[in-house]
Every structure is written in C-alpha cells, then in structure tokens.
Amino acid sequence: MSDNKDSQRRRFFRLPYPRTAQPPLNTHTGDSYKVLEIAEKSVVIELQPSKRLQVGETICGKILFHDQESEFIEGTVYRLDERGAVVTLNNSISFHHVMREQSYINTRFPLFFRQKMAGRRNPEDSSDDQ
C-alpha cells in the first residue's frame, strides 16, 4: 500500500518554490495564499493561522506567475500537513506554465533547484525560517 501511495504522489512532476519566489494565489473569496509548490494536477499552499482550511474544502482563484501571467485553478483541499495545504485540482495548470516556472527557478535559483531536485533541504531555505 505504501508503494502505491508513493507512486500516486509522484505521478506528476512537482515544482517547489524558494521562499522569495512563491507566487500568490488570490481566491474568489478575497483571500491570498503563497504557493509553495505546483504540479499539473495539484498545488501546495501555505497555511495561515487566520484562515482555517478544512480537508474537502473547495478553493478557486488565480495564481499570478513570475511573468505576470495568471491561471485560474479550482480544486479541493486533499491534505493538511507540515508543508501546507495540498490542493488537488479539477483543472490542470498548463504544462506551459509548469515548464516556464521550472526554467525561471532553475535560472534564478540554481542552488535551490539542484538541491530540491536531489531531495536535499536547501541551507538557504532554513535560514529563512528564522
């Protein structure tokens, strides 16, 4: 069962963002969240104490990417964990945007990108937590 769970989690390429490059998700309710990670069929958004999210809750809004283009997303909060709220999407983030964001992060934050893709925690990341 654990192998199946791991294979499901990795079905789509996931792109984490460094803290200083996290795009905003502006929801239809007027709330704003930082996007910590994107994939074609999911996003991870930052949890905020003032905005309680529930598993099963619907989220929709626009992600504003670094190139000032935005994409509408709609999905359901699938899980809440230490990283944030994992939202599975009813629609997909375009492959075009995922690839453009990957290129941007790889170019602007090469150390972060290499370490994240290798599965290691970035030392620059932990200093931001302080």
Side-chain angles (χ1 to χ4, degrees), residues 14 37-44 86-89 91 93:
R14 298 179 332 182
E37 183 177 290
I38 62 171
E40 286 181 74
K41 294 296 281 178
S42 68
V43 295
V44 178
V86 179
V87 179
T88 57
L89 302 177
N91 59 332
I93 294 176

Side-chain angles (χ1 to χ4, degrees), residues 81-101:
D81 63 26
E82 68 281 349
R83 295 179 305 147
V86 179
V87 179
T88 57
L89 302 177
N90 301 337
N91 59 332
S92 295
I93 294 176
S94 71
F95 183 69
H96 165 80
H97 264 126
V98 173
M99 295 312 300
R100 284 188 69 154
E101 291 295 285

Side-chain angles (χ1 to χ4, degrees), residues 8-115:
Q8 290 290 12
R9 287 184 70 206
R10 305 290 183 206
R11 188 175 357 173
F12 295 100
F13 174 75
R14 298 179 332 182
L15 180 64
Y17 283 95
R19 190 172 300 277
T20 57
Q22 295 166 346
L25 166 63
N26 298 309
T27 69
H28 70 289
T29 60
D31 293 326
S32 184
Y33 298 92
K34 290 181 182 178
V35 176
L36 307 179
E37 183 177 290
I38 62 171
E40 286 181 74
K41 294 296 281 178
S42 68
V43 295
V44 178
I45 59 175
E46 179 180 55
L47 291 174
Q48 298 176 6
S50 62
K51 301 171 191 158
R52 300 277 182 206
L53 294 173
Q54 303 291 322
V55 171
E57 182 176 345
T58 298
I59 299 249
C60 61
K62 288 187 177 183
I63 297 176
L64 180 63
F65 293 105
H66 81 278
D67 58 6
Q68 299 306 302
E69 289 186 23
S70 62
E71 251 191 74
F72 176 80
I73 62 161
E74 181 176 12
T76 305
V77 175
Y78 175 72
R79 180 178 66 238
L80 303 171
D81 63 26
E82 68 281 349
R83 295 179 305 147
V86 179
V87 179
T88 57
L89 302 177
N90 301 337
N91 59 332
S92 295
I93 294 176
S94 71
F95 183 69
H96 165 80
H97 264 126
V98 173
M99 295 312 300
R100 284 188 69 154
E101 291 295 285
Q102 178 182 350
S103 177
Y104 168 73
I105 292 169
N106 188 28
T107 302
R108 294 286 310 270
F109 307 94
L111 179 61
F112 172 87
F113 188 80
R114 280 195 306 272
Q115 290 188 342

